Each structure stands twice: as C-alpha cells, then as structure tokens.
C-alpha cells in the first residue's frame, strides 16, 4: 500500500467515535502477509514493540529500535487497506521530552504511513500526549501494565489491585483529558477496567482487562499459537501454528532423508521446456 492509500483507512477520529458502540477488533501485525489477513477483520492493527520479543527473540521490548519499528511499519502498511495502522513508539524515543517525542512520532508516521502512534504511560506522559495531539499526531495511550517499565515495576504483574486502582483511574483520566484517541488497558482487574471504561470518553482497548472494554487487542503470534515461549493468562489460543509448523518441518525432513521428496510432480522433464 502506498502512503497516500492510508487516506481511505479508518482514522483515529473514526476509532474514537466508536466509544460505547460496536467493540473494536484490534491485533498486532509485523509483516505484510499477516497484515493482509488481519485487515479483513480488524479495525486497528498495531505494529507493536512486542515485535522484538516475538519475531526477533529479544528478552523484552526494551531493545527495540526506531529502525525496527519503521521497517516493520512499512511492511505492515503494504498489507493494509482498511484498518487504522498504529505504530508503537519504542523505549527511549519519547520519554525524555515532548519535542523529542514529536520528532520521533513524526518520523514514524512519515516513514511508515501510520495513522497514529502508541506510547506507554499515564499521568506522567499526559503533557507529551497533549503536545503531540496539538501538532497533528493522533496518540493511543497504554496504561496498567506497561511492558517498557518492566524493570521499574519488577515483573509483568497485574496493576491496579486494591487502592492502587486509583492510580490507574487517574492515568486513564489524564490521557483522555490530554487528547489521546484511545487507551490500551493491560493486565488490570476486570472491575477496574469496567469502571474506567464507564468513566472516560475515549475507547478503552483491553488486553488482560475486561470483556466490557470498548475493544480488545492481542499479540497475533500469541493468539495463533506461533509464539509459545510462554502464555499469559489473558491469551486465548485460536490456533496452534507452532505445533502445526513443527509437524510440517518434521514430515519434510523425513521425506528428504528417505528421498520421497521431491516426488515426480515436483521435478522437470526434458520434454516440457518452459514448465
Ligand atoms: O507491543 C504490543 O504488542 C502491545 C500490545 C500488547 C498492546 O503493546
């Protein structure tokens, strides 16, 4: 897809307008063929920094670079016609100052054709979100468990239990007031997600949150059973592609070793030139 084709995609404004209506279907994608598959059924496709863990074998999202996000963003853009493409701002590309966040957000949008960016953080990122939105960058916020802060949090723990719920509610209000068009709620108690969804005017997109969120998102390699290093409780496997691929590779190896592959239909004869 060319950058200009993104004009016919769903916009951040259209996603924002879906608050309280039909649930938003969101998935991550990192490659063109998978983006094509997702586009048919999804409203929003996120080029998540989870790409570092699921495709590049990195231990966390902290090592993901702008160059990686741009390369995968360009690949995903080629597969999308309808869904809004959102690209994650990688760790270190936006926290330092609003001006740096704008430079990097503008680069992500210009070089990939993304219709919006996503960044992690609540109250402490509100000023930056406002700065970006005022300058034409639609922002999806991400609160609750923010994986880029895994070292500060001390693990991939549920956020907002008990009195800590007030902090997450304040984060949700802050990003909504700052102009985010939507907010991802990751790994928070369901009752808290329900309360936030009822309280704020922008769509909540849950991952490990609640069925009453305005939308849901999953990492595509998790839901397809392609990434099976570990499985968080909030992941539902809709397929088992890693197991299917392992069986296919085993069958291929056996057929090569026993010379059953290639079979006559896979090789060329002298009599059929050009075929
Ligand atoms: O990077 C990612 O894939 C994400 C989703 C889990 C929301 O941020």
């Amino acid at each position: 897809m060319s950058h200009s084709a993104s004009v016919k995609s769903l916009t951040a404004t259209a996603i924002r307008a879906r608050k309280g209506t039909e649930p938003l279907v969101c998935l991550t994608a990192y490659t063109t063929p998978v983006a094509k598959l997702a586009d048919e059924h999804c409203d929003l496709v996120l080029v998540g920094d989870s790409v570092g863990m699921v495709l590049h074998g990195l231990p966390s999202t902290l090592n993901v670079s702008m160059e990686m996000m741009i390369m995968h963003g360009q690949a995903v853009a080629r597969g999308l016609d309808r869904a809004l493409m959102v690209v994650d701002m990688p760790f270190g590309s936006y926290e330092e100052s609003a001006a740096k966040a704008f430079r990097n957000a503008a680069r992500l949008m210009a070089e990939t054709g993304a219709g919006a960016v996503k960044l992690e953080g609540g109250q402490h990122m509100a000023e930056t979100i406002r700065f970006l939105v005022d300058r034409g960058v639609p922002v999806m916020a991400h609160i609750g468990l923010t994986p880029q802060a895994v070292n500060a949090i001390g693990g991939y723990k549920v956020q907002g239990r008990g009195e800590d719920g007030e902090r997450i509610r304040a984060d949700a209000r802050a990003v909504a007031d700052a102009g985010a068009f939507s907010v991802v709620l990751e790994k928070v108690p369901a009752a808290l997600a329900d309360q936030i969804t009822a309280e704020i005017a922008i769509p909540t997109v849950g991952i490990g949150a609640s069925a009453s969120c305005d939308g849901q998102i999953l990492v595509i390699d998790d839901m397809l059973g392609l990434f099976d290093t570990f499985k968080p409780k909030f992941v539902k496997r809709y397929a088992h592609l890693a197991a299917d691929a392992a069986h296919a590779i085993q069958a291929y190896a056996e057929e090569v070793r026993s010379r059953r592959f290639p079979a006559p239909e896979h090789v060329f004869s002298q009599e059929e030139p050009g075929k």
Side-chain angles (χ1 to χ4, degrees), residues 137-148:
V137 178
V139 177
M140 183 176 209
H142 183 156
I143 63 170
L145 174 64
T146 48
Q148 292 174 7

Side-chain angles (χ1 to χ4, degrees), residues 19 143 159-170 172-173 183 185 188-202 204 209-214:
K19 174 74 186 176
I143 63 170
Q159 300 294 300
R161 282 198 168 122
E163 287 179 4
D164 191 36
E166 285 310 308
R167 175 178 64 89
I168 309 293
R169 284 177 68 198
R173 284 194 298 269
V183 59
L185 296 183
V188 297
L192 177 63
D194 295 347
Q195 193 178 18
I196 291 172
T197 300
E199 262 172 14
I200 63 173
I202 59 172
T204 56
S210 162
S212 72
C213 286
D214 298 294

Side-chain angles (χ1 to χ4, degrees), residues 28 46 48-50 88 118 142 207 217 219:
T28 69
L46 171 70
D49 61 355
S50 49
D88 253 343
K118 177 167 82 58
H142 183 156
I207 174 164
I217 188 161
V219 169

Side-chain angles (χ1 to χ4, degrees), residues 20-246:
T21 65
E22 193 195 347
L24 291 161
V25 181
C26 314
L27 275 175
T28 69
Y30 319 108
T31 63
T32 307
V34 171
K36 278 186 183 156
L37 294 171
D39 192 50
E40 204 173 321
H41 303 284
C42 293
D43 302 304
L44 183 154
V45 169
L46 171 70
V47 186
D49 61 355
S50 49
V51 68
M53 295 174 80
V54 300
L55 284 199
H56 293 267
L58 295 170
S60 74
T61 57
L62 297 179
N63 322 67
V64 172
S65 64
M66 282 287 291
E67 286 66 32
M68 284 165 76
M69 296 312 302
I70 288 168
M71 187 183 73
H72 288 285
Q74 289 171 342
V76 168
R78 287 178 211 118
L80 297 184
D81 270 328
R82 180 187 164 272
L84 172 67
M85 182 169 97
V86 180
V87 176
D88 253 343
M89 298 200 72
F91 181 61
S93 71
Y94 61 95
E95 303 88 334
E96 193 181 321
S97 69
K100 181 170 178 182
F102 179 77
R103 267 196 306 280
N104 284 319
R107 185 173 167 215
L108 286 173
M109 290 178 73
E111 295 190 28
T112 67
V117 298
K118 177 167 82 58
L119 56 81
E120 296 183 7
Q123 296 161 81
H124 67 287
M125 290 310 302
E127 215 176 296
T128 295
I129 293 172
R130 170 53 62 200
F131 189 90
L132 296 183
V133 172
D134 283 350
R135 286 158 182 77
V137 178
V139 177
M140 183 176 209
H142 183 156
I143 63 170
L145 174 64
T146 48
Q148 292 174 7
V150 61
N151 293 316
I153 294 170
Y156 296 99
K157 298 174 185 162
V158 174
Q159 300 294 300
R161 282 198 168 122
E163 287 179 4
D164 191 36
E166 285 310 308
R167 175 178 64 89
I168 309 293
R169 284 177 68 198
D171 281 343
R173 284 194 298 269
V175 299
D177 290 349
F181 73 90
S182 173
V183 59
V184 170
L185 296 183
E186 179 164 352
K187 219 167 173 182
V188 297
L192 177 63
D194 295 347
Q195 193 178 18
I196 291 172
T197 300
E199 262 172 14
I200 63 173
I202 59 172
T204 56
V205 175
I207 174 164
S210 162
S212 72
C213 286
D214 298 294
Q216 301 295 328
I217 188 161
L218 283 176
V219 169
I220 194 149
D221 291 56
D222 284 341
M223 59 88 79
L224 293 179
L226 255 179
F227 181 76
D228 59 2
T229 310
F230 55 86
K231 188 187 99 54
K233 175 179 173 171
F234 57 74
V235 171
K236 178 172 176 181
R237 291 241 163 95
Y238 288 83
H240 300 276
L241 297 194
D244 289 351

Side-chain angles (χ1 to χ4, degrees), residues 251-275:
Y252 168 74
E254 281 168 10
E255 292 192 5
V256 169
R257 292 197 175 103
S258 62
R259 299 195 187 283
R260 281 181 289 142
F261 179 83
E265 65 267 29
H266 304 121
V267 299
F268 302 93
S269 70
Q270 293 280 21
E271 292 77 44
E272 296 174 288
K275 283 204 177 169

